[in-house]
Amino acid sequence: MPPAAAAAFLSPAVAVSSRALPLRRARHLAVRAVASPPASKAKPAPPPSKTGKWEWKFEDKPINIYYEEHEQGTSENVKNILMIPTISDVSTVEEWRVVAKDIVGRKGELGYRATIVDWPGLGYSDRPSLNYNADVMESFLVQLMNSPNSPVANADDELVIVGGGHAATIAVRAAGKGLIRPSAVAAVAPTWAGPLPIVFGRGSDMETRYGLLRGTLRAPAIGWMMYNVLVSNEKSIQSQYKSHVYANPENVTPDIIESRYELTKRKGARYVPAAFLTGLLDPVQSREEFVQLFAKLDGDVPVLIVSTLNAPKRSKAEMEALKGAKGVTKFVEVPGALLPQEEYPLAVAEELYSFLQESFAAR
């Protein structure tokens, strides 16, 4: 959502980011900075090995969840990876495709199978008018990992979770509660605070205004009108990508903008963005709480943090807060801003593959 328009609804002089403003200390700390190339060199990913819909039931309502699988089947020993997209206005499995194909295509004693799943209300999944919040998204992830008929049901408690932005933080929170048992977690450009709360705070007066904005966006007629002005137009999406989603504006192609614009036109597209913008999808309320999420995994789950060289100032500060944090096994930097897995997928894939090999190959 463009900053000026959303901010004007609340206060006259603040600009807000639309993709969330992210994440603090490591038992084994490894920091490696990678020079940011001028343009993305990755080729488009080949089509997935398989696509499908999984039926998630929430409050007795069936919701079709889109997923796709990437594998090559050249190794006897295969590790399963669940990739979940960054939560945003234009979240989609597409952001992980090149990374998935790169990792599963590598040859070695240990092979990999990647399953990418769209969140409910986003991407190519159904978008019903639920009261979306962090608990709803957490519940979805828990059922996805624990249901006997889900696309990742045969992972045998050896599933690696790779997520971007809020998605990574929601997964860490669920793991810390013992609701899911990943064998490792990789958090790429992790975030914890929605665009408006990180700027305006969470005072009672602001919460009232967030509720008004959220209710307006969800309304049948005026909601679509406001959503079209704030989110669902190509100029707005291009502005977001060039200003803070990508590090290099030259990497923002017409094809990317067209693809993301089409996502905003899907039925029910405005419900999750209304919750995300106003902080309902925030898994924690402060940096201190955020850091504690990772501390709960210390000694139990290997955790990789992938920070970025050119993240927006507030997002960068939160990512840096995790450098050396308890529970963080490895901390690295790659080129990019808030969506490095899409803008610089090969750099992200290299770091993920290295982490996976270090964590599991010796076994």
Side-chain angles (χ1 to χ4, degrees), residues 129-317:
S129 177
L130 304 180
N131 292 316
Y132 294 98
N133 57 35
D135 291 338
V136 170
M137 295 311 207
E138 181 183 85
S139 176
F140 161 73
L141 182 61
V142 170
Q143 290 186 48
L144 174 70
M145 290 191 61
N146 296 330
S147 175
N149 68 341
S150 88
V152 294
N154 298 319
D156 298 324
D157 295 325
E158 284 292 311
L159 188 66
V160 177
I161 297 180
V162 177
H166 273 45
T169 312
I170 290 171
V172 170
R173 190 179 83 161
K177 293 178 181 179
L179 300 175
I180 58 175
R181 298 182 61 84
S183 57
V185 174
V188 179
T191 63
W192 63 266
L196 293 178
I198 204 169
V199 174
F200 294 103
R202 291 185 175 276
S204 59
D205 58 332
M206 293 314 304
E207 291 290 356
T208 299
R209 296 185 186 188
Y210 299 155
L212 177 60
L213 175 58
R214 193 162 51 241
T216 302
L217 283 168
R218 290 177 60 89
I222 192 173
W224 269 116
M225 293 173 59
M226 178 172 283
Y227 180 73
N228 287 335
V229 171
L230 299 179
V231 178
S232 186
N233 65 83
E234 291 171 313
K235 184 176 292 187
S236 170
I237 295 170
Q238 183 180 65
S239 174
Q240 290 181 47
Y241 267 71
K242 288 188 173 184
S243 66
H244 59 273
V245 176
Y246 275 21
N248 190 334
E250 294 181 4
N251 293 341
V252 182
T253 66
D255 286 345
I256 290 173
I257 300 305
E258 182 180 356
S259 169
R260 303 307 180 262
Y261 172 68
E262 289 175 358
L263 289 173
T264 68
K265 291 302 182 185
R266 295 176 67 86
K267 182 179 179 181
R270 70 192 188 276
Y271 299 125
V272 170
F276 171 67
L277 175 69
T278 55
L280 279 188
L281 301 189
D282 294 355
V284 292
Q285 304 294 304
S286 69
R287 179 182 293 180
E288 290 71 27
E289 290 181 22
F290 181 80
V291 174
Q292 283 302 310
L293 292 182
F294 289 85
K296 290 179 181 179
L297 304 186
D298 188 41
D300 293 327
V301 180
V303 175
L304 169 69
I305 301 298
V306 180
S307 182
T308 57
L309 292 168
N310 301 108
K313 185 177 179 180
R314 289 188 179 92
S315 302
K316 180 73 170 179

